[in-house]
């Protein structure tokens, strides 16, 4: 069966943030599937068959700026970035 | 799976080690407080604060609500956060799993053991309130708790901290720990996004110990008799006893207390040893598969299941779990695809309807599996079910979607042959079973 490797990721909240790691998380209850995040950030976000984001939570440094924009455009503020220090 | 063969059964008779359900005959109903204290002695409350958490850790007792988290470690993590600001003990008896009856049974028959456990927990973690969260349909359990509470107060053995009862709605997810806390706080028994988890921020914003009623009953016994006593029974490295709800093919659920580490075959034979209580025992020859762990559990073919021990470590190595102690036997005359479709349908309907992947994913999966069961499958249904199951996993605020697709994926493997017949619309091998009730 064809599955994106992104769906194989462990749940983002399941492991502690590593130092210097930036993680993109979605609040599943707030998310209404507007899909704007996936348009802005297709490198890290797929949409499932119903339009809800499948998020690859580890954000590489070069994508941090656009990830922040994705967080900002979410109409229901369901996305957030967290950084380990 | 390479598992212990069936030859090992005969080493000891399949006796149930009765501890939580010890005392007067069960058919007499709830044990009174006076009987309880005469049998077990007073509650060692004064030692609880210093010695009970280490004792629970030494016992190896695991939570019995389904997740199997170590009880001692859970109490310690709440106690550490409670320091100086208080905490809450939330006794979880919601028992939303349709195949589980053990929690309401313990509450109805041994309410004092659960209240003992709750009072001990309150002492050990420094709590200033106890909330008894009991299923709204569990009338006998609620009555028994209220009566036991009154008897304890009359005997001068009432709780130091206030106790109240909250009636859990009759929904599958109502017993999920964040849902339990939310219900007590806001009257809405739906899960919330975590973290913070209840042990960090729970009832009234305080660190909250959400603990299953069976776990508290064991804790009350360990407080009196110690970790070594707890570990004196069991098979192999699985120590202690557990309450299981056993459903024989076509039978009604029966609650039994068994030694951990005994095999599913031995659990089946327990019922054979107790004729005349309205249930017929499952045998290997009339069982097609076993549903272990309830609706969030896994289907296991009967041949493999019979030798499988109720040992949490061994089960985990095979991707299995006892869940809340559910062992349900599927008859050889019932279509497993129909049985699975019924569960998928139930779990889709029981979604808290908060998270998109759960709402739409479980609905789509249930519809496709129901078409497969009815021999009305679309060509793409099978592949879609597999794809959707992978998509939905880990994408809810709670574990509801994960539990549902876990069960489904085990069905795809265990019943592959029958699924193929259904998918090709070649017919159901159990046509007589299509309308009969599933396990």
């Amino acid at each position: 069966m064809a599955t994106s490797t992104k769906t194989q990721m462990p749940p983002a909240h399941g492991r502690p943030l590593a130092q210097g790691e930036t993680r993109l998380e979605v609040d599943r209850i707030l998310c209404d599937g507007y899909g704007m995040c996936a348009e802005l950030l297709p490198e890290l976000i797929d949409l499932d068959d119903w339009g809800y984001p499948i998020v690859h939570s580890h954000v590489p440094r070069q994508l941090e700026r656009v990830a922040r924009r994705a967080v900002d455009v979410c109409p229901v503020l369901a996305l957030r970035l967290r950084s380990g220090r | 799976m390479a598992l212990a063969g069936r030859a090992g059964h005969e080493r000891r008779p399949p006796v149930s080690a009765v501890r939580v359900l010890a005392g007067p005959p069960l058919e007499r109903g709830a044990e009174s407080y006076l009987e309880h204290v005469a049998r077990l002695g007073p509650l060692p409350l004064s030692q609880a604060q210093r010695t009970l958490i280490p004792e629970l850790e030494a016992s190896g007792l695991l939570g019995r609500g389904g997740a199997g988290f170590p009880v001692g470690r859970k109490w310690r993590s709440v106690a550490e956060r409670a320091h100086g600001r208080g905490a809450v003990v939330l006794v979880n008896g919601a028992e939303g799993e349709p195949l589980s009856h053990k929690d309401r049974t313990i509450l109805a028959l041994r309410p004092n053991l659960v209240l003992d456990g709750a009072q001990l927990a309150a002492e050990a973690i420094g709590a200033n309130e106890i909330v008894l969260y009991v299923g709204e349909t569990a009338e006998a359990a609620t009555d028994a708790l209220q009566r036991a509470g009154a008897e304890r107060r009359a005997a001068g053995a009432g709780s130091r901290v206030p106790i109240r009862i909250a009636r859990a709605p009759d929904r599958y997810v109502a017993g999920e720990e964040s849902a339990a806390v939310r219900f007590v706080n806001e009257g809405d028994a739906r899960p919330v996004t975590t973290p913070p988890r209840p042990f960090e921020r729970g009832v009234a914003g305080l660190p909250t110990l959400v603990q299953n009623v069976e776990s508290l009953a064991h804790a009350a016994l360990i407080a009196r008799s110690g970790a070594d006593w707890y570990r004196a029974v069991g098979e192999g490295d699985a120590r202690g006893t557990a309450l299981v709800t056993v459903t024989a093919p076509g039978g009604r659920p029966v609650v039994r207390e068994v030694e951990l580490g005994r095999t599913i075959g031995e659990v089946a034979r327990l019922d054979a040893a107790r004729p005349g209580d309205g249930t017929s025992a499952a045998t290997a020859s009339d069982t097609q598969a076993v549903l272990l762990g309830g609706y969030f559990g896994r289907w296991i073919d009967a041949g493999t299941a019979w030798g499988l021990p109720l040992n949490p470590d061994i089960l985990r190595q095979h991707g299995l779990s006892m869940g809340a102690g559910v062992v349900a036997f599927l008859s050889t005359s019932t279509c497993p695809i129909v049985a699975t479709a019924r569960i998928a349908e139930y779990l889709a309907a029981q979604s808290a309807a908060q998270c998109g992947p759960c709402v739409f994913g479980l609905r789509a999966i249930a519809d496709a599996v129901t078409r497969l069961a009815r021999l009305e499958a679309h060509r793409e249904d099978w592949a879609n079910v597999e794809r959707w199951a992978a998509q939905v996993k880990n994408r809810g605020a709670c574990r509801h979607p994960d539990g549902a697709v876990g069960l489904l994926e085990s069905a795809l493997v265990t019943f592959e042959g029958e699924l193929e017949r259904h998918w090709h619309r070649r017919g159901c091998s159990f046509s007589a079973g299509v309308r009969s009730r599933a396990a």
Side-chain angles (χ1 to χ4, degrees):
Chain A
M1 88 205 168
T3 325
S4 157
T5 53
K6 292 172 190 174
T7 62
Q8 305 297 325
M9 289 294 292
H13 49 268
R15 58 200 158 82
L17 271 170
Q19 197 182 1
E21 181 188 5
T22 298
R23 198 185 286 165
L24 185 61
E25 292 176 352
V26 55
D27 184 316
R28 295 289 168 194
I29 295 178
L30 292 178
C31 177
D32 274 336
Y34 283 88
M36 292 159 106
C37 54
E39 268 178 49
L40 260 170
L41 196 52
E43 298 91 338
L44 297 183
I45 302 178
D46 285 333
L47 294 181
D48 67 17
D49 289 18
W50 309 281
Y52 290 86
I54 297 171
V55 178
H56 177 80
S57 66
H58 178 78
V59 182
R61 194 158 294 280
Q62 67 273 19
L63 288 176
E64 273 179 25
R65 225 165 54 93
V66 63
R68 191 155 300 285
R69 275 193 59 208
V71 168
D72 291 341
V73 301
C74 176
V76 291
L77 308 178
L79 272 181
R80 63 174 170 255
L81 275 174
R82 288 205 302 140
S83 294
R85 33 190 114 255
Chain B
M1 296 186 228
L3 292 160
R6 294 162 66 172
H9 288 184
E10 307 305 330
R11 60 204 165 197
R12 282 200 280 145
V15 288
S16 58
V18 179
R19 289 175 155 188
V20 168
L21 294 181
L26 301 181
E27 54 276 14
R28 264 187 41 200
E31 181 181 36
S32 73
Y33 176 69
L34 293 179
E35 289 175 297
H36 168 80
V37 137
R39 179 168 68 88
L40 292 169
L43 198 55
L45 270 180
S46 54
Q47 292 116 289
Q49 211 165 358
R50 277 181 306 108
T51 62
L52 186 50
I53 289 177
E55 202 66 28
L56 288 172
E57 287 171 330
S59 75
L61 175 66
L62 302 177
R64 299 294 166 72
F69 193 82
V71 171
R73 207 196 305 165
K74 194 172 193 175
W75 290 30
R76 187 178 290 284
S77 61
V78 179
E80 282 164 358
R81 285 167 178 82
H83 202 70
R85 50 182 186 136
V88 175
V89 175
L90 199 165
V91 178
N92 194 351
E95 198 168 43
E97 162 66 49
L99 289 173
S100 180
H101 288 236
K102 55 124 181 145
D103 290 336
R104 75 199 70 174
T105 300
I106 296 170
L107 289 170
L109 300 180
R110 299 293 179 262
N112 283 290
L113 216 43
V114 179
L115 291 174
D116 280 359
Q119 284 181 240
L120 287 162
E123 287 301 319
I125 68 171
N128 33 28
E129 189 183 17
I130 295 169
V131 181
L132 307 171
Y133 187 57
V134 186
E136 63 183 0
T137 60
E139 297 295 342
T142 311
D143 291 350
L145 275 176
Q146 277 165 339
R147 209 168 324 121
E151 287 170 359
R152 294 163 82 95
R153 284 190 297 276
S159 171
R160 185 183 56 79
V161 302
I163 301 187
R164 62 179 156 135
I165 293 183
R167 310 293 302 271
D170 193 17
R171 300 274 302 172
Y172 197 87
V173 298
E176 195 273 338
E177 63 171 16
S178 76
V181 166
R182 183 178 181 181
F183 181 77
V184 174
N185 284 338
E186 313 168 19
D188 182 351
R190 293 183 299 164
V192 299
T193 301
T194 55
R197 305 285 303 261
F199 75 93
E200 298 162 319
R201 191 182 160 76
V203 173
L206 294 171
T208 298
L209 175 72
V210 182
Q211 193 79 70
N212 168 265
V213 298
E214 182 192 346
S215 313
L216 289 168
H218 286 290
L221 294 172
I222 291 168
R224 289 183 169 93
S225 305
D228 290 342
W229 168 85
Y230 176 80
R231 299 183 63 81
V233 300
E235 196 63 47
D237 57 3
R239 310 311 304 169
T241 66
L243 276 90
V244 291
T245 311
V246 182
T247 307
R252 57 179 177 78
V254 180
V255 175
R256 301 280 185 243
E257 186 168 7
V258 298
E259 278 182 283
L260 282 169
R262 292 312 190 105
T263 63
I264 288 176
E266 286 175 309
V267 171
R269 292 200 309 165
L270 261 182
D271 279 326
R274 297 183 187 211
D277 63 355
T279 182
S280 57
T283 63
S285 61
D286 66 12
T287 299
Q288 170 181 189
V290 174
L291 178 56
L292 180 65
Y295 285 11
F296 280 3
R298 301 287 184 273
W299 288 111
I300 311 163
D301 76 274
T304 306
W306 235 246
L308 193 63
L310 296 181
N311 175 323
D313 288 338
I314 292 176
L315 292 175
R316 192 178 324 112
Q317 286 159 24
H318 291 91
L320 303 168
S321 158
M322 289 172 64
V326 169
V327 182
F329 297 89
L330 183 72
S331 137
T332 46
S333 61
T334 303
C335 174
I337 312 302
V338 171
T340 301
R342 224 171 247 138
I343 297 172
E345 177 56 45
Y346 174 86
L347 290 176
Q350 290 289 318
S351 167
Q354 299 187 112
C355 306
C358 181
V359 174
F360 296 102
L362 296 194
R363 170 49 48 210
I365 289 169
D367 289 348
V369 177
T370 299
R371 285 192 294 272
L372 282 157
R374 291 180 180 160
L375 307 173
E376 295 165 359
H378 305 159
R379 251 184 77 79
E380 64 281 7
D381 274 344
W382 192 345
N384 274 344
V385 164
E386 289 183 333
R387 196 163 50 87
W388 290 332
Q391 278 191 0
V392 162
K393 211 175 292 175
N394 286 328
R395 288 177 64 236
C398 75
R399 293 280 174 199
H400 190 73
D402 308 17
V405 302
L407 176 105
L408 184 85
E409 288 178 332
S410 73
L412 298 179
V413 174
T414 308
F415 308 128
E416 190 182 3
E418 187 61 22
L419 190 62
E420 202 159 348
R421 284 181 61 90
H422 279 246
W423 184 59
H424 288 298
R425 304 189 186 191
R426 279 203 301 266
C428 172
S429 317
F430 307 83
S431 47
V434 168
R435 273 184 216 87
S436 77
R437 288 199 45 200

